[in-house]
Amino acid sequence: MALYETFASEIEKSIRDGVLRVGDKLPSVRDACSSRGVSPSTVFQAYYLLEARGLIRARPRSGYYVSARAEPLPPEPGASCPDGESTELAISERIFDILGSVRNRDVVPLGSAFPSPLLFPLPRLAQAMAAHLKRQDPLDTVEDLSPGNPALRRQIALRYLIAGINIPASDIVVTNGALEALNLCLQAVTRPGDTVIVEAPTFYGALQALERQGLKALEVPTHPRTGMDLHALENAIARHRPAACWLMTQFQNPLGSLMPDERKRQLVELLARHDIPLIEDDVYGELYFGATRPVPAKAYDTQGLVLHCSSFSKCLAPGYRIGWTSAGRYTQRVQRLKLSSTLSASGPAQGAIAEFLEQGGYDRHLRRLRDTLQAQQARMATEVAHAFPAGTRMTRPQGGFFLWLELPQGIDALALHRQALARGISVAPGPIFSASGQFASALRLNCGHPWNEAQAKAVRTLGELALAALARPGPEARCLTLGP
C-alpha cells in the first residue's frame, strides 16, 4: 500500500476498535505530519480517502471529525465454476438490447463501461489538437496510415519503457480504440471454428468478437482477486487444444481482478509450452490504486506470443478512439489486416494525443484520476453495504472502476436490470458476461462517475429492488447496515 493508504487503514482500524468514536476530532494536518514524519500531502490524501469512505467529515475552519463507525464490507465472491465445455455463441442481441440504455444521459450510468468524460483534460487535448493541426504537414496523412503516427508510436514505446518493457516503436500498430486492436489480433491468430479460452466472467466485447468471427468460447474458472486458475487453464488446453487465449490480467472487466506478477510469468510460460498466443486486453493497466504500476503479462514474453492491446479511451481521451497493439511475431499480419480493413485511425486524434504526451503532464493527470476513482469506489462500496441484502458478495478491486456484486440466490439480475431501467438507472447484469449465461444473480456497477446524491440514491434504489426480489423476505433479508 501507499503511505497514505497505510495511514488511512490505521485510522480506520482505530475507528472500528472504538479507540476513535463518532464526534472525535482527528489530529490536525500539522500534528499528523509532525508525529508521523510524513508530508502534508500524505495526510491530506489519507483524510480524503477516509472522507470518501464516509468515516470522517471535514468541518470548515475546525478540522476532521469521525462521522461513522467502520464495519466490514460484504464478503468477496469466490472463484467461478464454469462447466469446462466450449460454447458456440449467440449473445450479441441480448448485449445490444441491454447496453443501449447507457447512451441516454438522463439515466444514472451504473451500467456504463466508461468513466465520466468530466474526469479527463479535454480542454488541454483540444489545445493539443489545434497545435498539431496548425503545423501539420500534408504528407502526414500518408505517414499516419497503418501502423500509425510515428510520434505517437514513439510515445507509446516510451510508456512501455517506463513499465520496464523494451518494445521498439516499429512493433506498435495504432488502431481505432483497443477493441479494434483486439479484433485484429483475434483475426490474426484464429480461423472460424477454433476455440478461444476466456475468463469466467469475461468482457462481453470479447464474446461478441468471438461470435462475429465464428469462434467458440471456452470459459475457465477465474478468481476476483488473482484472475484465471492456471491449473484449470492447463487442463482446458489438454482437453480442447485452443487456438488462443483472450485475457485481462490487470483489473479485469467485470471482476477487477489483478493477476500477481509471478502468475503472469507462469501464464506466459504455460502458453509458450503449447505455442498458444495470448491476446492481452490491458485497457485498465494505468488505473492502479497502489504506489507502482503492475506490469502486464507482455513483460514476460520472450517468444513474441503475447499480443498486448491497450488504448487511451479509459485513462485520457474518451471519444478519440485511439488504441494500439504490440503484437509480437504477429505484428506484420495485424498491420496488413488493419490496412485491408479500416486503413488508419484518425490522423488528427493521433496527432493530438502525441502532442499532449510530448508536452508532459500525463502522469500528473493519471495520479489525480486514480485518486478520484479510488475515492469513488470506496463511496459506492460503502453505499452497497448499507443498501443491499445480507448475503450479497462484493469484489475489492485494486484498480479500474468496476464493482462486481453477487446477490443472494433467487434474485434475477436481468429482471433487476429492467426494473432499474424503468427508474432511470442502468446496470450491467451478470449473464452478458458469460458465453453460457451464467451469473444470473450478479451485477457489474460502474464507479467511474463523480459521486453525488443521484449516484447514492440509485444504489439505494437497486438495494431496495434486490430486497423486494427475494422470494421470502424475512430476517435473512435484512440490510447490511454500517451505522451504529
Side-chain angles (χ1 to χ4, degrees):
M1 290 192 295
L3 192 58
Y4 75 92
E5 291 175 303
T6 301
F7 185 29
S9 294
E10 292 175 4
I11 295 174
E12 183 174 342
K13 185 177 186 302
S14 295
I15 296 172
R16 184 182 300 118
D17 293 344
V19 176
L20 289 171
R21 299 179 179 180
V22 174
D24 285 352
K25 184 178 181 181
L26 268 64
S28 69
V29 173
R30 178 181 296 177
D31 289 344
C33 289
S34 175
S35 63
R36 303 278 306 196
V38 296
S39 68
S41 174
T42 297
V43 178
F44 276 121
Q45 282 185 289
Y47 285 2
Y48 292 158
L49 183 57
L50 291 167
E51 190 176 24
R53 293 174 179 171
L55 300 176
I56 67 173
R57 179 170 296 177
R59 295 181 187 174
R61 296 183 296 279
S62 180
Y64 286 89
Y65 292 80
V66 177
S67 62
R69 190 178 81 243
E71 296 290 349
L73 295 173
E76 294 182 89
S80 59
C81 299
D83 61 15
E85 299 299 325
S86 62
T87 305
E88 292 186 0
L89 292 152
I91 194 171
S92 286
E93 285 302 317
R94 171 181 285 181
I95 293 171
F96 288 137
D97 289 344
I98 289 172
L99 297 180
S101 60
V102 302
R103 294 191 296 268
N104 185 344
R105 67 171 60 197
D106 295 325
V107 171
V108 181
L110 301 185
S112 170
F114 295 92
S116 169
L118 302 177
L119 301 179
F120 300 99
L122 299 183
R124 280 199 60 198
L125 281 166
Q127 293 170 1
M129 180 174 285
H132 167 73
L133 291 174
K134 281 180 182 178
R135 63 169 185 269
Q136 185 179 32
D137 186 326
L139 293 179
D140 285 349
T141 56
V142 177
E143 274 199 321
D144 288 349
L145 297 179
S146 185
N149 180 294
L152 178 59
R153 291 160 66 215
R154 284 194 299 273
Q155 289 297 321
I156 294 170
L158 284 172
R159 299 301 301 176
Y160 277 116
L161 194 60
I162 291 170
I165 309 172
N166 190 3
I167 292 176
S170 58
D171 283 1
I172 295 167
V173 180
V174 179
T175 59
N176 292 299
L179 195 53
E180 185 186 38
L182 292 157
N183 275 276
L184 292 172
C185 290
L186 187 64
Q187 191 176 349
V189 300
T190 63
R191 294 180 295 179
D194 283 345
T195 294
V196 176
I197 285 178
V198 297
E199 294 140 322
T202 193
F203 170 45
Y204 52 77
L207 300 177
Q208 289 176 298
L210 268 59
E211 180 180 345
R212 186 169 53 254
Q213 297 190 29
L215 302 165
K216 298 176 184 177
L218 176 57
E219 298 173 302
V220 173
T222 303
H223 193 278
R225 269 199 179 271
T226 56
M228 181 170 281
D229 182 327
L230 297 188
H231 294 296
L233 172 60
E234 191 163 17
N235 291 336
I237 291 171
R239 286 188 60 203
H240 296 273
R241 301 183 64 83
C245 278
W246 178 326
L247 307 182
M248 286 187 181
T249 62
Q250 308 200 116
F251 316 122
Q252 189 253 13
N253 177 4
L255 291 176
S257 58
L258 172 62
M259 185 176 282
D261 288 347
E262 178 59 20
R263 292 184 69 169
K264 290 175 192 165
R265 184 187 61 77
Q266 293 170 0
L267 166 69
V268 173
E269 291 177 352
L270 169 62
L271 295 177
R273 286 198 299 272
H274 296 275
D275 201 38
I276 296 173
L278 168 61
I279 301 170
E280 185 179 21
D281 182 351
D282 193 28
V283 295
Y284 305 102
E286 294 278 18
L287 303 181
Y288 57 92
F289 296 159
T292 57
R293 188 194 197 284
V295 296
K298 182 69 176 177
Y300 305 100
D301 181 26
T302 60
Q303 299 187 29
L305 278 167
V306 178
L307 298 84
H308 183 259
C309 303
S310 192
S311 84
F312 294 102
S313 296
K314 303 296 194 296
C315 56
L316 176 63
Y320 281 51
R321 303 305 305 151
I322 296 299
W324 72 88
T325 180
S326 173
R329 67 171 72 167
Y330 304 97
T331 296
Q332 187 178 65
R333 195 179 304 176
V334 169
Q335 184 178 335
R336 289 176 176 175
L337 287 168
K338 171 68 177 169
L339 279 167
S340 65
S341 55
T342 58
L343 196 64
S344 170
S346 164
Q350 291 185 70
I353 293 177
E355 181 85 19
F356 180 89
L357 296 177
E358 288 169 357
Q359 291 173 359
Y362 182 39
D363 285 301
R364 185 166 57 251
H365 155 70
L366 287 174
R367 285 192 293 272
R368 288 195 299 266
L369 177 61
R370 289 192 288 261
D371 287 345
T372 299
L373 293 176
Q374 185 175 20
Q376 289 172 185
Q377 182 199 97
R379 289 193 171 193
M380 183 173 285
T382 299
E383 199 64 54
V384 167
H386 274 297
F388 275 71
T392 297
R393 293 180 174 271
M394 180 175 65
T395 54
R396 309 278 200 282
Q398 300 174 54
F401 49 89
F402 295 123
L403 287 176
W404 176 256
L405 309 186
E406 292 184 359
L407 307 179
Q409 288 187 358
I411 297 179
D412 183 340
L414 291 171
L416 192 63
H417 151 74
R418 292 190 291 270
Q419 295 165 359
L421 193 58
R423 291 161 174 78
I425 306 163
S426 75
V427 297
I432 68 172
F433 300 96
S434 171
S436 55
Q438 294 185 83
F439 313 111
S441 297
L443 298 175
R444 187 198 69 186
L445 301 182
N446 184 321
C447 314
H449 291 255
W451 187 255
N452 54 33
E453 181 53 33
Q455 297 266 321
K457 183 178 179 182
V459 173
R460 291 195 293 269
T461 299
L462 287 176
E464 292 166 3
L465 292 173
L467 279 165
L470 289 173
R472 290 189 298 275
E476 71 277 10
R478 65 190 181 282
C479 284
L480 297 170
T481 304
L482 290 186

